[in-house]
């Protein structure tokens, strides 16, 4: 019994010492509703972007929207769980170029600006997404 009590106390102490999750970027983007609006705006921008729209023609846009919202939520410290494929798997065979990636980023930036997201928050999101570039290009 004492061992069980000691285990419970130590577990609670370990939990209490963990730093709180930083969700400041999630909040700066407007939480779930704001992220959804940003993603939908980005997808609408892409639909009008002749440089990259062809890459989205055979994609289930509703599923893509949902997975992007999950991913952005997770990346920004929100309470979501990403349930989509890895970046490598989801971009396999698309042979995306750096120009394609840059066009998508421009569309994301335009969507964030349209939603009134401050530039520092935009830059924080882009910095968190930047490592994915290598997982997307030339797959």
């Amino acid at each position: 019994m004492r061992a069980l009590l000691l285990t419970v106390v130590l577990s609670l102490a370990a939990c209490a010492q963990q730093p709180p999750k930083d969700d400041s970027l999630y909040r700066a983007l407007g939480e779930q509703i704001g992220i959804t609006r940003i993603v939908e705006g980005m997808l609408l921008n892409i639909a009008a972007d002749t440089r990259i729209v062809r890459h989205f023609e055979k994609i289930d846009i509703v599923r893509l929207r949902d997975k992007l919202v999950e991913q952005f939520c997770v990346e920004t410290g929100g309470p979501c769980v990403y349930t989509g494929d890895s970046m490598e798997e989801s971009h396999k065979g698309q042979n995306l170029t750096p120009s394609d990636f840059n066009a998508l980023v421009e569309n994301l930036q335009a969507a964030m600006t349209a939603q009134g997201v401050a530039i520092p928050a935009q830059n924080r999101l882009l910095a968190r997404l930047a490592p994915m570039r290598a997982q997307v290009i030339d797959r």
Side-chain angles (χ1 to χ4, degrees):
M1 182 69 170
R2 289 175 89 183
L4 177 61
L5 182 59
L6 181 60
T7 302
V8 169
V9 169
L10 289 175
S11 295
L12 290 174
C15 289
Q17 293 176 3
Q18 292 179 0
K21 187 174 182 179
D22 179 9
D23 68 347
S24 61
L25 181 54
Y26 175 73
R27 287 182 284 111
L29 295 178
E31 300 181 354
Q32 190 78 19
I33 289 173
I35 290 172
T36 300
R37 287 181 182 146
I38 290 165
V39 168
E40 288 175 348
M42 178 184 76
L43 292 173
L44 287 171
N45 293 342
I46 289 168
D49 189 338
T50 57
R51 298 173 296 172
I52 60 172
V53 70
R54 69 188 179 283
H55 295 296
F56 296 85
E57 290 172 346
K58 296 179 182 177
I59 304 251
D60 179 345
I61 294 297
V62 173
R63 182 178 190 282
L64 175 61
R65 179 202 62 208
D66 293 346
K67 297 306 158 198
L68 286 171
V69 168
E70 285 178 6
Q71 187 174 46
F72 286 16
C73 179
V74 168
E75 291 295 326
T76 60
C80 304
V81 174
Y82 178 67
T83 61
D85 296 328
S86 70
M87 290 297 98
E88 291 92 344
E89 186 63 30
S90 59
H91 294 89
K92 189 176 179 178
Q94 293 187 23
N95 300 314
L96 299 174
T97 66
S99 294
D100 296 328
F101 187 86
N102 293 343
L104 184 132
V105 170
E106 289 171 20
N107 287 301
L108 172 57
Q109 288 175 299
M112 288 191 288
T113 298
Q115 288 301 314
V117 176
I119 296 298
Q122 290 186 32
N123 289 338
R124 286 177 61 202
L125 176 60
L126 294 175
R128 291 192 185 180
L129 299 176
M132 294 178 194
R133 183 180 187 275
Q135 301 166 1
V136 171
I137 304 293
D138 296 326
R139 295 285 167 191

